[in-house]
Amino acid sequence: MNYTVLGEFLFLFLFLNQNNILLCSSMLQIMKKQFLFIVLLFAFNSCESDVKFNNPAFEGQKDNVFWRAVDSKAILAANGSLTIEAYTRNEKVTLKTTSVAEAAYVLGTSTSKTATYVLTDATGTVTFSTGIGIGNGEIVIEEYDAVNKTVSGTFKFNAENVNNNPLYGPNLNFQYGVFYKVSVGSL
């Protein structure tokens, strides 16, 4: 075998291999820049200013399923008691406390501090409520803003089917309830 041909072949192989690596390296640099450009393009393109605030809000978990009112309001009576009402198309939740003071109001001990859930559907109306010795729970008023006339807080309750409607269970559970900046009107 001729060493000159072998040397030329080896030189050509190394030259092509080295240039191929340089070619691949520069192509990788270009591809990295293109990839970075594409990522930045998608990142900035997906930024939208469609921020939706749930303010005011009234929501919680009803029997372990997320529930949110479409409308809510609060009414401050002349005697200082507060009634917070929240609505969906066919449901109404009513929370009553004896005051707007920032405090925890225990349910199931009186008729002045109650939670009520009313569902109206094709079969009629079913009511779940707390009262003296009926159900239990708590309404916590965390903030009453007298200037802006809003109320915020939390709630949870177990209410009983007061009509004993056999189409629904004997109890209804609301937990992780929150009302936030619900507008307060007066009677």
Side-chain angles (χ1 to χ4, degrees):
M1 183 165 219
N2 189 348
Y3 289 107
T4 312
V5 174
L6 185 62
E8 288 176 5
F9 176 75
L10 186 60
F11 174 77
L12 185 61
F13 175 75
L14 290 174
F15 176 77
L16 289 176
N17 193 23
Q18 187 176 17
N19 284 336
N20 193 18
I21 289 173
L22 288 175
L23 181 63
C24 287
S25 175
S26 64
M27 286 184 69
L28 282 174
Q29 291 297 329
I30 292 170
M31 289 176 62
K32 284 180 185 177
K33 288 178 184 177
Q34 288 176 346
F35 180 73
L36 181 62
F37 177 73
I38 290 171
V39 167
L40 288 174
L41 180 68
F42 279 114
F44 286 120
N45 192 28
S46 64
C47 294
E48 294 182 18
S49 60
D50 293 341
V51 177
K52 294 180 183 177
F53 293 98
N54 193 16
N55 184 8
F58 191 105
E59 60 191 32
Q61 285 190 7
K62 180 182 74 131
D63 290 331
N64 296 319
V65 176
F66 181 74
W67 186 91
R68 178 182 289 159
V70 294
D71 192 19
S72 59
K73 67 179 181 177
I75 301 163
L76 181 59
N79 66 0
S81 65
L82 180 70
T83 302
I84 303 168
E85 297 177 338
Y87 308 91
T88 66
R89 184 176 56 85
N90 60 342
E91 299 167 292
K92 179 180 175 183
V93 175
T94 305
L95 305 176
K96 292 183 180 181
T97 65
T98 54
S99 170
V100 293
E102 295 173 6
Y105 299 88
V106 178
L107 303 175
T109 59
S110 72
T111 56
S112 59
K113 298 173 288 202
T114 61
T116 306
Y117 171 83
V118 178
L119 171 67
T120 304
D121 63 9
T123 62
T125 300
V126 62
T127 303
F128 293 86
S129 186
T130 64
I132 299 173
I134 300 172
N136 57 43
E138 175 180 71
I139 301 168
V140 178
I141 300 213
E142 296 175 349
E143 179 187 30
Y144 173 68
D145 185 346
V147 174
N148 295 314
K149 298 197 182 288
T150 61
V151 64
S152 300
T154 61
F155 67 94
K156 60 183 177 182
F157 64 87
N158 292 303
E160 294 183 14
N161 184 339
V162 296
N163 302 346
N164 292 320
N165 187 327
L167 297 176
Y168 299 93
N171 297 310
L172 175 99
N173 171 263
F174 253 98
Q175 57 189 347
Y176 311 115
V178 175
F179 51 95
Y180 179 72
K181 296 204 181 282
V182 174
S183 179
V184 179
S186 54
L187 287 176

